Amino acid sequence: DLLEKSLTVKKRSALTEKNIYITRVTAFWLHGDLDRATDAITEVEKRYEYLSASALTTFGFIYILKGDLQKAAELTEKALADNADYSSAWDNLGQIKFRQEDFTEAKQAFEKAVLLNPRMSDSLYYIALIEIKDGNIETAKKYLSQALECNITTFNTVSREEIENTQKNLEI
């Protein structure tokens, strides 16, 4: 409601307005309304020619959640074209490939994300899942431990509990 109200303020900069529209997307997502989030993404894409790698990556992730991997890949590729060293975009690419069961490409993308940012808990977790699938349990445990050392927030794709549960299941 506050974001909607802020759009009615007459005196605001173009950058402030753009940030409000982008923030609305994230707010819809975090409130679990993916349909409104993707509608808001469409609106942002129509309004603005340039979107940052950060915004494109967030938008791409929302499409991953919706299961539209084609749109997610399109946005993620745009993010990487804007900033080839953006670790979150590499994580997105890994998650897309993981969901497509292209585990070799997924692992490469996750490894690139971790190379750029060793604190990528999501990427570390998904590498661990791939290692488990490949039967490399000790290597998987190492990646899960590293993931748990990271700061995990509501913006992560996995929770601390998911990582801990995966780790516990390996101990059985």
Side-chain angles (χ1 to χ4, degrees):
D1 290 341
L2 290 174
L3 290 169
E4 298 300 331
K5 187 176 181 179
S6 65
L7 287 171
T8 66
V9 174
K10 300 278 188 241
K11 291 186 179 184
R12 65 175 182 269
S13 71
L15 180 58
T16 297
E17 180 179 279
K18 183 177 185 179
N19 285 331
I20 292 168
Y21 278 106
I22 291 170
T23 302
R24 284 174 67 236
V25 171
T26 304
F28 291 139
W29 159 44
L30 292 176
H31 282 93
D33 195 339
L34 296 179
D35 290 333
R36 283 184 76 189
T38 54
D39 289 346
I41 290 169
T42 301
E43 185 176 1
V44 170
E45 288 179 312
K46 287 178 183 173
R47 282 182 172 276
Y48 302 102
E49 185 175 320
Y50 173 78
L51 296 169
S52 68
S54 175
L56 291 165
T57 300
T58 299
F59 296 174
F61 179 68
I62 291 166
Y63 278 100
I64 290 171
L65 293 176
K66 281 207 62 158
D68 186 344
L69 299 182
Q70 183 176 345
K71 180 69 175 179
E74 173 191 317
L75 292 166
T76 299
E77 291 297 334
K78 283 183 183 179
L80 289 169
D82 185 62
N83 182 352
D85 293 331
Y86 193 55
S87 59
S88 294
W90 284 103
D91 180 77
N92 262 20
L93 185 60
Q95 290 198 42
I96 292 164
K97 297 298 183 182
F98 188 90
R99 283 164 174 77
Q100 293 172 332
E101 298 185 5
D102 184 346
F103 299 113
T104 301
E105 294 266 335
K107 186 175 179 184
Q108 289 172 355
F110 289 133
E111 287 173 338
K112 177 73 173 185
V114 171
L115 179 66
L116 294 167
N117 179 359
R119 311 284 300 160
M120 292 291 295
S121 59
D122 307 74
S123 294
L124 292 164
Y125 176 75
Y126 279 99
I127 292 171
L129 293 183
I130 294 167
E131 293 294 345
I132 291 166
K133 182 191 76 56
D134 290 343
N136 303 320
I137 304 306
E138 292 308 312
T139 303
K141 287 179 183 179
K142 179 186 80 163
Y143 282 109
L144 291 169
S145 292
Q146 287 177 309
L148 287 170
E149 292 172 8
C150 301
N151 183 31
I152 301 170
T153 71
T154 57
F155 290 103
N156 288 94
T157 61
V158 296
S159 66
R160 182 168 298 281
E161 181 180 69
E162 285 177 281
I163 298 168
E164 289 171 344
N165 286 339
T166 302
Q167 196 174 46
K168 285 177 191 172
N169 288 336
L170 292 179
E171 300 301 327
I172 297 174

